[in-house]
Amino acid sequence: MSSSIQRKMTILIFMCTLIPLLAHSILSYSKSANIVNEQLQDYNHYAMKQLVAVTNMHLKEMDALSRDIQGYLLALGKKISTNPKSYHEYLELNSFIDFLSFHVSPIVEGLFVITPKGDILGSRKVNSASLLENDWWTSPKNQQQVWQWSGFHSGGYYSSPQPNGPLISLVVPLHLQAAVPVGSRILVDVNAKTMTSLFRSFELDTKSYLEIRDMHGLLVYESRDKPTFSDNDYVFSETLELNSWTITARLPQSEINKSSGVIRNYGFLIGLFSLIVALIMARVLSGNFTGRIVSLHKSMLEFSRGKLDATVVVKGKDELSRLGARFNFMTEQIRSLIVNITRTEKLKNDAELRALHYQINPHLIINTLNAIQWRARMAGRSDIDRMIYHLAALLSENLDISHELVPLEEELETIGHYIKIQYYRYGDSFTYTKDIEPGIERAWIPRMTLQPLYENIFYHAFDDGVGSIALEVYRDRHQIVLSIYDDGKGIQSPSDVTRPSPPRKGRGGLGMYNVDQKIKLHFGEQYGIRIKPNDERGTIIEIRWPYQEGEKPSDEN
């Protein structure tokens, strides 16, 4: 009987150990496999976003170079001849070649302008016959005189030394009268070695098959090794902003299952070992496993109850460690979001307090100015009469805080009153021109956007109001671009484009900074003011914001 009881106890203990072990192993495998697969997909998606961002950065650099060259060629008074016949034409040609060479960098392989006759002006020597006979150059789309992005090519038309890696090219036709004949094309060649190396690193890191096609579906790039596709593969794609290329990455199901297979194999070995040592090692193994889950659960409960600094101690590099790291990352992001929301609310509260502080009776000011205007008119002082008229109109707009967003035409009318006042102040010592694209006058813009910028010009750029100002407003796809040019003192640092700095004590900078912040608060951080030196003298202030018209946007208070 004792042997029977021993056998039963052995069977009972074995079954009591086996059933929880099998259930625990199966559930753990299922849950861990799902978590690992989600993290793997998230990582690949994040890597894809980074890949697209870097690729977009290279393409935007090419676009910026082409626009710089267009700006140079469209400048008034320039005439560049490929066969100079005078010393002046020779200087213009050399100046343009120097301009192109100045923009060449380790990434920018070459910059060229090709005339309709086939003459080439460039930063480097090339074989014109090889270039003009290149497949992508002679493509029907290129012959239609439209923007074209080439695929990756060898750049065999370069003279020694040859490019160190594949090239990607941008061809931009010139349809306007410029320093070169109409129909000329700008060619921007960028070394794509870094880009293709990034593609291969992405393929090796994520174990994915990468494919790039242009907007017409033609293949631009694909991975060297093409796996066998299945319906269960994880496929994700992104479209580039500038040229509408589609980047598609395919993660084979076999790669997704590898991590799950590793978990399954280790689970089987651990289960077998646990069955051998039975209850002794079961507690040790499960204690470590459940303890970390309990720690994570405890931290989650603390976080849900308002303890925002709750974190998990991450030890090791297994799946639970990655889960804990993801939880820590999530809590950090939430804390950062709360800080940003608090800062935004503080800015809004400060703005409301300032509005309340500076609220005065606008009717008293306007009525007083109207009385002064009436007396000036009675006294025959028409100049004072008109100056007060424009000042009253300007103050009427400034003191109206009922609407934060106004149509662009109202803002332009307000700045027109301000310019009239400056004409009365300085006379004809400055000139003012404007070029506004028809049809965008009803677009919404924050109130009092332009006046601080013009005040900055008169206070800091001009001496006694002497100079010229030009305003240009046009649409760029779904954005409005407003540029103010002046030929004043210019900015101190002629480096790359800068944004307005936070306000400091003393005069200057506060108005432009506030305008930049207002645009960001209304439309997003990607919009605002950019300041850069003018090509010849002075400064260019550029504002970009999304094109919206019709009903007032929903963020309007």
Side-chain angles (χ1 to χ4, degrees):
M1 178 175 296
S2 62
S3 62
S4 176
I5 295 175
Q6 183 179 7
R7 188 166 50 251
K8 290 179 180 178
M9 290 295 294
T10 302
I11 294 174
L12 179 61
I13 295 173
F14 179 78
M15 294 301 296
C16 290
T17 305
L18 178 62
I19 292 175
L21 179 62
L22 289 177
H24 181 268
S25 299
I26 293 173
L27 292 176
S28 298
Y29 166 73
S30 176
K31 187 65 175 178
S32 300
N34 288 336
I35 293 173
V36 170
N37 289 343
E38 289 176 1
Q39 290 179 344
L40 180 62
Q41 293 176 2
D42 289 343
Y43 174 76
N44 285 6
H45 192 266
Y46 174 77
M48 181 68 169
K49 291 288 187 181
Q50 297 300 314
L51 179 69
V52 171
V54 174
T55 305
N56 270 325
M57 179 184 68
H58 285 282
L59 298 183
K60 287 180 180 179
E61 181 178 359
M62 297 174 66
D63 178 70
L65 287 171
S66 69
R67 293 183 185 279
D68 284 347
I69 297 174
Q70 289 183 73
Y72 185 97
L73 295 176
L74 293 173
L76 296 176
K78 293 185 180 297
K79 189 69 176 178
I80 301 173
S81 173
T82 57
N83 185 20
K85 297 180 180 179
S86 67
Y87 182 68
H88 177 72
E89 292 180 352
Y90 175 78
L91 291 179
E92 287 282 2
L93 177 61
N94 279 351
S95 176
F96 180 59
I97 298 298
D98 290 341
F99 173 79
L100 295 179
S101 301
F102 176 76
H103 287 76
V104 173
S105 67
I107 296 178
V108 180
E109 198 71 37
L111 301 170
F112 309 93
V113 172
I114 297 89
T115 67
K117 295 182 179 180
D119 297 328
I120 299 178
L121 305 175
S123 60
R124 288 183 57 182
K125 296 293 184 181
V126 295
N127 188 318
S128 60
S130 299
L131 170 61
L132 300 180
E133 294 175 0
N134 201 291
D135 292 340
W136 56 267
W137 180 266
T138 57
S139 67
K141 186 177 179 181
N142 195 9
Q143 301 305 313
Q144 294 172 7
Q145 288 284 304
V146 296
W147 281 54
Q148 179 190 6
W149 298 84
S150 76
F152 300 101
H153 60 91
S154 63
Y157 46 83
Y158 276 88
S159 303
S160 180
Q162 291 292 323
N164 181 23
L167 303 182
I168 184 173
S169 301
L170 168 63
V171 180
V172 179
L174 291 173
H175 298 296
L176 300 177
Q177 187 66 39
V180 293
V182 175
S184 299
R185 283 172 278 186
I186 298 171
L187 173 61
V188 179
D189 281 346
V190 168
N191 195 310
K193 183 178 180 179
T194 303
M195 196 181 304
T196 54
S197 298
L198 181 65
F199 294 160
R200 295 189 184 99
S201 297
F202 173 85
E203 296 161 6
L204 295 174
D205 186 36
T206 63
K207 309 300 181 184
S208 300
Y209 167 75
L210 193 64
E211 180 181 88
I212 303 177
R213 293 184 178 272
D214 64 13
M215 61 185 301
H216 301 290
L218 299 178
L219 186 65
V220 176
Y221 174 87
E222 66 174 342
S223 301
R224 296 174 180 175
D225 300 325
K226 192 171 185 178
T228 302
F229 299 147
S230 70
D231 295 337
N232 295 324
D233 292 346
Y234 180 62
V235 180
F236 44 95
S237 64
E238 294 283 345
T239 301
L240 300 180
E241 299 176 10
L242 290 178
N243 55 10
S244 298
W245 283 3
T246 301
I247 301 181
T248 303
R250 179 183 291 269
L251 179 63
Q253 183 65 30
S254 58
E255 294 293 336
I256 299 177
N257 293 333
K258 278 185 179 180
S259 298
S260 302
V262 171
I263 297 175
R264 182 183 63 250
N265 295 336
Y266 274 101
F268 176 76
L269 294 175
I270 293 174
L272 182 61
F273 181 74
S274 299
L275 287 174
I276 296 173
V277 297
L279 298 176
I280 299 174
M281 293 301 299
R283 184 170 180 81
V284 175
L285 295 176
S286 62
N288 179 54
F289 182 80
T290 57
R292 295 162 69 187
I293 294 181
V294 169
S295 176
L296 177 60
H297 180 257
K298 180 180 178 181
S299 298
M300 293 175 68
L301 285 177
E302 291 177 348
F303 188 82
S304 65
R305 291 169 180 170
K307 188 180 179 182
L308 300 182
D309 59 346
T311 58
V312 178
V313 177
V314 179
K315 296 180 180 180
K317 298 182 179 179
D318 58 8
E319 291 75 17
L320 285 177
S321 299
R322 290 199 291 269
L323 181 61
R326 296 284 294 182
F327 172 77
N328 291 341
F329 176 76
M330 179 193 70
T331 58
E332 182 182 354
Q333 292 294 101
I334 292 176
R335 288 194 297 271
S336 176
L337 179 61
I338 292 175
V339 171
N340 290 336
I341 292 175
T342 303
R343 182 179 65 86
T344 302
E345 289 301 320
K346 184 178 183 301
L347 289 175
K348 290 182 178 179
N349 291 336
D350 291 343
E352 291 175 359
L353 289 174
R354 285 195 299 269
L356 291 173
H357 179 72
Y358 288 109
Q359 276 187 350
I360 58 177
N361 190 338
H363 296 289
L364 175 62
I365 295 178
I366 299 302
N367 291 338
T368 302
L369 288 176
N370 288 335
I372 297 173
Q373 181 185 10
W374 179 80
R375 286 183 174 274
R377 187 179 303 167
M378 294 296 295
R381 295 300 302 272
S382 59
D383 53 343
I384 297 178
D385 176 16
R386 298 309 298 168
M387 190 173 185
I388 293 177
Y389 164 75
H390 292 295
L391 178 59
L394 188 62
L395 287 177
S396 178
E397 289 297 323
N398 289 345
L399 295 173
D400 183 5
I401 60 172
S402 59
H403 301 289
E404 180 59 25
L405 294 179
V406 298
L408 178 60
E409 60 183 351
E410 289 188 17
E411 184 68 9
L412 294 175
E413 182 179 354
T414 300
I415 202 61
H417 291 297
Y418 178 81
I419 291 295
K420 288 290 187 181
I421 293 174
Q422 301 310 313
Y423 273 125
Y424 282 109
R425 179 181 179 186
Y426 295 111
D428 295 330
S429 59
F430 72 93
T431 60
Y432 175 63
T433 59
K434 56 184 179 179
D435 181 11
I436 302 171
E437 179 180 325
I440 63 174
E441 294 85 356
R442 299 302 302 171
W444 296 103
I445 184 174
R447 179 183 297 279
M448 292 301 296
T449 295
L450 299 184
Q451 184 176 332
L453 309 183
Y454 281 80
E455 288 177 351
N456 189 73
I457 293 175
F458 281 100
Y459 280 127
H460 302 289
F462 289 171
D463 291 327
D464 297 328
V466 177
S468 62
I469 306 173
L471 172 66
E472 181 182 17
V473 188
Y474 62 92
R475 285 185 61 179
D476 182 10
R477 298 179 182 172
H478 300 294
Q479 297 181 10
I480 295 181
V481 181
L482 186 147
S483 299
I484 303 175
Y485 306 81
D486 71 74
D487 60 354
K489 296 177 181 179
I491 59 179
Q492 295 180 353
S493 175
S495 57
D496 198 7
V497 176
T498 58
R499 289 198 179 276
S501 302
R504 299 185 295 256
K505 292 184 178 180
R507 181 192 236 175
L510 178 60
M512 298 185 67
Y513 176 79
N514 286 343
V515 170
D516 186 61
Q517 292 301 305
K518 282 204 301 184
I519 294 174
K520 285 180 169 57
L521 287 174
H522 280 290
F523 303 113
E525 289 292 329
Q526 67 270 35
Y527 302 105
I529 297 179
R530 302 174 70 191
I531 307 171
K532 55 185 176 181
N534 207 338
D535 286 341
E536 311 223 341
R537 185 171 184 266
T539 306
I540 301 175
I541 302 175
E542 179 184 280
I543 308 177
R544 285 180 178 265
W545 72 96
Y547 179 78
Q548 298 176 344
E549 65 175 19
E551 294 185 2
K552 192 165 296 187
S554 59
D555 63 338
E556 171 72 2
N557 293 330

